[in-house]
Amino acid sequence: MTSAATVRVLVVDPHPIFRIGLEAVLRSDPQIELVGSCESGPEALQLCASLRPALVIMDVDLPGMHGVEACRAVKRLLPEADVLVLTARDDDDVVFETIRAGASGYVLTDITPENLIRAVHAVRRGHTMIHPGIARRVLNRLSFMARDGNGTGGFGDNLTEREVEILVEIANGSTNKEIARKLFVSESTVKSRLRSIFRKIDARDRAQAAAYAIRKGYTR
């Protein structure tokens, strides 16, 4: 018989081997009841309607429906349920859009089994769980949005969160090598992002880009 403290969990992941391992981890905790699993967004919605889980653990790369839309649909169907994203994707836009869609947590697949169990219970207690490697980026983006003040909920000129991070570093006088080291990316990635930034903000060089960052209030 299920106890009051038991968390009813549905797993949604398109990779059978990973899904089997995840199910084994969840079954190791007596306070978690695995009510079902599937591999696609449409299947997840069907199972949510019939099984009514308290928590859905899902990837963002799902066949039939992107994880962001799947998260949004789950929250419409089961407003009281939590969605915990477990994925290898840490793209800035995907992270932020999933959280905006209603996800209560976003953790990466490098998480240990013990920490995943902790994340499940923490989310059900009302906490928001975000992988430490991306938490600062999310907070920075929220800060930039708050400064924007126009209610649009995004960056000007279609800049991504990562591009704004690079723009801030440019304004601080960092070299490409220093930016790459700080953001844990390659120099070639920095150069590619810079070309995109210059095109979006119509800047010819780093000096104009730095001036833009200061004018927009992206620097502290």
Side-chain angles (χ1 to χ4, degrees), residues 40-115:
S40 72
E43 287 178 295
L45 295 183
Q46 292 178 0
L47 290 178
C48 280
S50 60
L51 300 175
R52 307 193 70 81
L55 176 70
V56 179
I57 299 178
M58 68 165 62
D59 197 349
V60 291
D61 292 316
L62 298 174
M65 180 185 294
H66 191 274
V68 172
E69 181 53 38
C71 177
R72 192 176 290 118
V74 168
K75 293 298 292 184
R76 283 197 298 263
L77 182 64
L78 298 174
E80 299 304 314
D82 289 297
V83 175
L84 175 62
V85 174
L86 174 62
T87 182
R89 292 278 298 276
D90 69 344
D91 310 48
D92 298 332
D93 291 337
V94 172
V95 172
F96 195 73
E97 287 305 314
T98 305
I99 292 172
R100 289 186 66 188
S104 299
Y106 197 108
V107 295
L108 302 182
T109 50
D110 64 358
I111 193 170
T112 65
E114 295 80 9
N115 284 334

Side-chain angles (χ1 to χ4, degrees), residues 19 31 35 52 54 86 95 100 141-142 155 159 181 217:
R19 193 168 63 245
Q31 290 185 306
V35 297
R52 307 193 70 81
L86 174 62
V95 172
R100 289 186 66 188
R141 184 160 189 171
L142 289 171
F155 294 114
L159 292 172
R181 186 172 63 251

Side-chain angles (χ1 to χ4, degrees), residues 199-218:
R199 183 179 66 255
K200 289 179 179 180
I201 67 175
D202 193 26
R204 291 192 302 271
D205 52 34
R206 297 168 83 94
Q208 287 190 351
Y212 177 92
I214 294 170
R215 186 170 66 251
K216 286 289 187 178
Y218 287 150

Side-chain angles (χ1 to χ4, degrees), residues 157-160 163 167 191-205 208-209 212:
D157 299 307
N158 296 317
L159 292 172
T160 67
E163 287 172 342
L167 190 57
K191 292 177 182 177
S192 175
R193 294 295 182 106
L194 279 176
R195 287 193 293 269
S196 175
I197 292 168
F198 288 173
R199 183 179 66 255
K200 289 179 179 180
I201 67 175
D202 193 26
R204 291 192 302 271
D205 52 34
Q208 287 190 351
Y212 177 92

